[in-house]
Amino acid sequence: QLLDLCPGSCGSNPKEPILVGSRAYFQCDTGTGGPEVCFFDHAGSYGRAFDLEPGGVGSTPTKFVTIDSTHFAFRAWTTTYGLEWYFSDGTLAGTVAFDVCSGACNSTSGNFAAFEGYLMFDADTGGGQGVELYRGNSGGFSIVADLNSGAASSSPSELRVCGTLLFFTATTVAAGREVFYTDLPAGPITLAADVASGSVSSNPGSYTCANPGFLYFIATTAAAGTELYAWVDGTTTLIKDINPGAASTSFFSITAIPGQNASIFQATAPNVGRELHSVFGTNAANLTMIWNIAIGPANAPTFFIQPVRGTSGLVYFGAEHKQFGWEIWATDGNSVWLTNGINCRNKGILTYGVQTLLASPLPTFGTKVFMVADIWDEGKEIFYIDHGNNITSPQMIQFAASAFSTNSITNALDNQVQYIAQDPISRTLATFNSTNLHFIDPATHALNTISTITSAQFLVFCNGLFLTSSSFAGAGTEPGIANATTYFMLADINPGAGTSGTSNMACFGADKVALSTTPSAETELYIASAIPNPTDLIAVSDVGGVNGIPEILFSDLTITVYSQITVTGSVRNIFVLYPGQTVGTMLNISDPGTTSIVTGTPYSRTFITKLNDKVYIRATNAASGYELFKIDGPYAYRVTDYYPGTNHGVNDICAFRGKVYFSGNNAGVLGIAAYNPVSNSVAVVQTHSILPLYLVAGPGEIALFYFSGTVASNYRLYMYTPEAGSKDLMPLTTGSGLQSIRFPTAVPGRFYWQAFTTVMNWQLHSTNYSHPTYLAAVNDSLGLTTPVFQSWTLAYSFSDITASSITFVPTCSDATPGCTVTYGSSLCGAAGPTTVWTSVTANTATAPVALPPTTCTTVYFNVSSRWGSSTYYNVNMTRLPGDSHLSAVTDNIGGINTPFAMNVLSYSLNVLSSWSSVTITPTCFQAGCTFTCQGGSCASPVALNAAGTSTTVTVHVVSYDGVNTTDYTVTYYRMSNDAKLATLTDNAAVISGFAPSTFSYAGTVPAATSSVQFTFTCAHAGCVAHFSSCGGNLTSGGTCTTSLGAPDTYTLVTVDVYAEDIFVTQQYTVNVTRGHDFTQDDAKLSALVDTVSGVGPVFVSTTTVYASLTVSSGTSAVTLTPTCSVAGCTVTCQAASCATPVTMNAAGSNTVIVVHVTSPNTLYTKDYTLTYYRKSNDATLATLTDNAGVVVGYAPTTYTYAGTVASTTTSVQFGFTCGHAGCLAHFSVCAGNLTSGSTCTVTLGASGTATVVTVDVYAEDMTSTQQYSVNVTRSYDLFSPELAALTDSFGEVNSLFTTYKYSYSNILLPSTATSVTVSPACLIAGCTFTCLSTSCATPMAIPGPGLSATMLIDVTSPNSLNTTSYSVQYRAM
């Protein structure tokens, strides 16, 4: 723990640390104020830097970025400002809030970059300007540019600094969304590339800076889809259309290769999926796929790329390979290689192979890349690669090295040795003889006897314990467990004194073991906890019946067990057990190529190994003899056919340095070969006259155990490395009578094995032999061999050397015992050194070796080991003749840097007037040259002559050998800083008496003068002037025509003069007043028309009132069009634009419209008044009367009336008045149209008839009408005997009766009716009536249901002169 920012059990949750000078700043929560800005410095001080949001909530600062050595920026939230950016020096007083969106609103979306001492960021004021690019420092913030004017946003994003430029993506109306850049925080902003021409967007992104002025990025067009582009010094190039046509390519992790105009990246290419590519420069031919991780169209797994800036232009990255798993790789853009060797699995030791763990991009510090790896002999440790110091293989930085004995052979035990095993963490070895279990210290070989055991069958290491079996008192032979001090029984599998017959054991996951054991009658595979608990014993196989004898071959981290089980006779098939499987479910591994079962060999424990995530085994199937198989799931894929046919090609196997090595027989040729899982190929690496029995991998070599067949030295030990081949090291015993060896194993620096002789029985033997003779490194004072040296590469050549001598530092291999080095030199081509061989102590420098000019020199190294073997290295070096040219010339002004070429000797440059001196820095084309500037040291500044004059500087170069010289000249013109004008004139005589030091002028011109032309000359050549009224900058003698404002106004013209050096300025001002124009006082109209042709025909300019303009009732609005007497006047109609129609008042009323005219100069006004009468559309009558009382209760909106007059009335006179003046009425019985107040006399029809009178009323506008109707009935004569009504006792005839209908038939009555009574009513008073010749009060009988009867009614007039009869037929239903 470095800091306890939140004391006690709470955590401060520190996030996003950055380094600013000697302080680190980050977000943390001290437990009292919420997340705020915290700090830690080199002096050990730490805590909260300040509290932006007091009260416990916290401002939660994020996106920390270092601006310079004293300032940083971050984004935070407060109740006062919302979410905004802050610029800080680490103190609250020195912290400035960029409150772009004023108040508590949020302005920022989080795109940012540190650039030239400023924070560049995107923000939105919330005031309608949109999201734009801003800059800010301790002085506050300001917008850089409103690229998308108005409320539209340019939305700058992906801000990336590349050299002196800031690139970003933004949107404009003209270009769409494209890439822009600026070279200064204040702008200007330049469109870098319009990739998709016009307003179409290419949506560029993933900016990667390869070098200053060289930017890679991706963009999208309709023609090419999404592809890779490069921007180089203003030129944009589509590098290659990887997926031809409109199809897009997906890009991932674009990363620059340090020191080169190049990048690596993942991209999806046709037929290969997403794989690793590189590009050099902008040529399409230099964009290639450099690694197809997932062969075929499949995508490679996602991997992390981490560039490391160094001298060799390499990029290290972590990637998951199908064969190697997650490992650390390196690339120079041309090829990819694994940085660390793959550790081998040792025979007889259950260790866990290489497991490199990567959970995020690799962390770096300076030129180092750090990683965490889990390797078989060290466990999980921290490793690093130091690119800057050419350490390109991972180096462990956190483990304790073990010391090993240097005895060549150790007889560890004097009795029978049975088995050996080793703890890969502590490296403790365990072994037992016929009576005791021992632990062996690998450094001292000291024995620690743990327990007395008998009848042991095996010995393996598992999860911190050693597993074996032996006889226990009262329990027979059972499996046992040993730790550092005790030995105890795992389980009494065959209870009581019975023996379980446990033949071997292995780890199964983190807390269980697998056993091949016999609890009853047959031997099968079981799983048990690694504690004494017999109830945990679970059987998992029963494939062999009573003959099944499982032998556990191997157990790995995926808690699977690979086992050989005898099924029939001696045929032993390979099975695999996965977690969760039950009895009988072990997978029988088969060969999918032949669909046959893969079988092993009885007791072939040593013939299995693991390389990365795959298990390899020596086995056979129906189609082959013993070959190498790779186990993958339930299948075993044969990967070799070393001896074609059914012959046995493979013997023992071992994983070593990323390959599986094996001893084998290739059609009679014996030796060792290697299978490469990456290329899926086999190569013979060494031939021998006899076949090695065992292969055991050490950390740097493979031990080969041979049986030669001779009596004197039956078994011999060889060592093999890919660099030096194999070496016959020694016989395996010092005496004769060796009968057998078994269980060879290895730890770093030492090999162990068991040997049985007739003299000493079984013994434990070991040797510390390691690595053949070679150098581990050769460094030199010129850095020639350092980056390229490899132990197995013996010859090197270098040219173009300019140094006169060189020294070397040879380093022996750590595993080469007794290493000595001598060296000598000669001219190239000699048979050997012509100087005396000289000894040099390893890791110390040789004496300087002279390198004569234009001559090739060879330096030889002879490396010897204690066994007398030697290895020779030679280094050829050719020294160049002297060259006096320069490869670069720079100056502190930055003028000569870009155009320099070594064969161009003269340069002319302009510099600002502020430069009073220049310091030139030459760079030799060939190392060792010397140079002077103006005859003195180039480190001394050269004074420049006065502003406006030139200074020539001579750089004199002498080659390193003093033979050749070259002079370069640079002429600096120091630009003038005079920003005054010599003359300033105009064509209107505004300027009078100009003087260069008088800066303000004023004058008046007539009203008719609308423009003034100005002309100027510079006091010193090279100035430019910018007139506020003209665009751009004008050179001396230029003119600017300025448009003047309206009469009675003034126009201010500013002239900004820039001296030749641009940075010195002077401003002149000219105030031009334009006189009065009397023609602009006129406020009259020359014409006025309307849309109803009302005023136009009668308009006169001097008449201002028009009172009798009539329009129809349908005219709801009128539009006026005025014409001014003088151009420039303004006119309103009803105080609004005359283009807006004026709404008329209701029909029958007047509308007054005022036309207001203002003179062009706004000094005078005139009003025209127009009165429009809108005709009425009211077609109703106010009154309607008659002289006979027919129309009763008249109302204008009641349109129908009826009445009866006496029979003696023969005519009726009607009168009316209009609802609105101007209406006309037409009576249907009177000719013509009548005006309001007129009358119409109507002649009636005969007595008893009706006369209908219609009145059509026309409104004033003659388009609206309304009709009234009056129905006049003339009464009958009193002597006419008719009934006015007739009813019956059932109410059936009532509604059917009419006066002038005299007969009614089939009037239905209820079926129960027996009689009916009728009641007549006379139309004229005084009439009489009878029913069936009697009183109508007498009922008429009904015969019965379905029968009818007819009632006869006789009506007699009052004068008894006339009679009328009515008949009504009734029928009962």
Side-chain angles (χ1 to χ4, degrees), residues 432-478:
F432 60 81
N433 51 18
S434 61
T435 58
N436 293 296
L437 174 64
H438 307 275
F439 283 176
I440 303 173
D441 185 328
T444 64
H445 290 181
L447 293 180
N448 178 20
T449 301
I450 300 301
S451 177
T452 299
I453 60 174
T454 58
S455 304
Q457 299 295 314
F458 56 89
L459 181 62
V460 295
F461 175 79
C462 178
N463 298 325
L465 300 171
F466 286 95
L467 309 177
T468 184
S469 68
S470 65
S471 178
F472 290 89
T477 300
E478 296 292 351

Side-chain angles (χ1 to χ4, degrees), residues 368-440:
K368 291 184 179 179
V369 187
F370 292 91
M371 68 210 74
V372 175
D374 188 347
I375 64 172
W376 70 271
D377 63 339
E378 296 295 346
K380 190 182 298 182
E381 298 290 355
I382 300 175
F383 290 75
Y384 72 90
I385 298 168
D386 190 347
H387 180 86
N389 292 307
N390 298 292
I391 302 174
T392 57
S393 292
Q395 306 296 308
M396 187 182 298
I397 63 172
Q398 190 173 338
F399 73 101
S402 297
F404 292 93
S405 170
T406 57
N407 297 331
S408 61
I409 294 181
T410 300
N411 297 325
L413 298 172
D414 294 328
N415 211 327
Q416 285 190 334
V417 174
Q418 298 296 317
Y419 298 97
I420 55 175
Q422 187 205 16
D423 180 344
I425 304 302
S426 68
R427 293 177 176 154
T428 298
L429 282 88
T431 185
F432 60 81
N433 51 18
S434 61
T435 58
N436 293 296
L437 174 64
H438 307 275
F439 283 176
I440 303 173

Side-chain angles (χ1 to χ4, degrees), residues 796-879:
Y796 302 88
S797 294
F798 303 97
S799 58
D800 299 339
I801 299 172
T802 59
S804 59
S805 65
I806 186 173
T807 59
F808 292 91
V809 179
T811 302
C812 289
S813 167
D814 291 339
T816 302
C819 170
T820 59
V821 181
T822 57
Y823 72 97
S825 64
S826 70
L827 296 180
C828 295
T834 56
T835 62
V836 177
W837 284 101
T838 304
S839 297
V840 60
T841 303
N843 300 318
T844 58
T846 66
V849 177
L851 300 176
T854 68
T855 303
C856 178
T857 303
T858 301
V859 175
Y860 302 86
F861 294 95
N862 178 18
V863 187
S864 302
S865 70
R866 69 172 56 175
W867 300 290
S869 60
S870 297
T871 301
Y872 288 88
Y873 296 85
N874 61 78
V875 182
N876 296 328
M877 296 161 289
T878 302
R879 186 179 174 193

Side-chain angles (χ1 to χ4, degrees), residues 905-1084:
L905 304 182
S906 296
Y907 300 88
S908 296
L909 305 168
N910 292 339
V911 300
L912 299 178
S913 62
S914 58
W915 289 103
S916 60
S917 65
V918 63
T919 301
I920 294 179
T921 304
T923 301
C924 293
F925 172 72
Q926 188 182 79
C929 84
T930 59
F931 39 74
T932 59
C933 296
Q934 294 296 73
S937 170
C938 289
S940 300
V942 177
L944 298 179
N945 295 328
T949 62
S950 297
T951 304
T952 299
V953 180
T954 300
V955 181
H956 181 69
V957 187
V958 180
S959 63
Y960 79 90
D961 55 7
V963 174
N964 300 310
T965 63
T966 302
D967 286 337
Y968 292 86
T969 61
V970 184
T971 299
Y972 291 92
Y973 172 70
R974 188 178 176 189
M975 292 184 287
S976 170
N977 57 0
D978 188 349
K980 291 187 177 66
L981 296 179
T983 63
L984 179 60
T985 61
D986 67 270
N987 63 349
V990 175
I991 300 172
S992 177
F994 175 81
S997 297
T998 302
F999 306 117
S1000 296
Y1001 299 88
T1004 302
V1005 298
T1009 302
S1010 60
S1011 65
V1012 176
Q1013 185 182 72
F1014 294 94
T1015 304
F1016 76 97
T1017 58
C1018 295
H1020 189 282
C1023 88
V1024 294
H1026 175 75
F1027 285 75
S1028 58
S1029 54
C1030 293
N1033 295 327
L1034 304 176
T1035 58
S1036 182
T1039 62
C1040 170
T1041 299
T1042 300
S1043 297
L1044 301 181
D1048 298 318
T1049 65
Y1050 69 89
T1051 300
L1052 180 64
V1053 180
T1054 60
V1055 185
D1056 291 310
V1057 184
Y1058 297 86
E1060 188 179 26
D1061 70 353
I1062 299 301
F1063 287 94
V1064 179
T1065 63
Q1066 179 62 58
Q1067 188 179 78
Y1068 294 83
T1069 61
V1070 184
N1071 197 332
V1072 184
T1073 301
R1074 189 176 176 186
H1076 185 72
D1077 185 355
F1078 293 96
T1079 63
Q1080 301 300 297
D1081 296 339
D1082 192 346
K1084 296 191 298 298

Side-chain angles (χ1 to χ4, degrees), residues 188-234:
I189 293 175
T190 303
L191 176 64
D194 191 6
V195 179
S197 300
S199 61
V200 179
S201 297
S202 70
N203 297 307
S206 298
Y207 299 124
T208 303
C209 183
N211 270 314
F214 198 115
L215 184 78
Y216 288 109
F217 64 96
I218 62 173
T220 304
T221 64
T226 302
E227 295 296 346
L228 185 66
Y229 291 75
W231 184 94
V232 183
D233 294 331

Side-chain angles (χ1 to χ4, degrees), residues 13 25 103 105 734 771 842 879 915 936 1164 1309:
N13 297 316
Y25 291 93
C105 59
T734 56
H771 295 299
R879 186 179 174 193
W915 289 103
Y1164 301 94
L1309 298 177

Side-chain angles (χ1 to χ4, degrees), residues 652-684:
D652 197 9
I653 63 176
C654 168
F656 181 71
R657 294 191 184 177
K659 299 177 182 179
V660 179
Y661 286 80
F662 58 89
S663 58
N665 183 346
N666 185 2
V669 179
L670 308 179
I672 56 175
Y675 167 70
N676 187 336
V678 176
S679 61
N680 193 30
S681 61
V682 174
V684 176

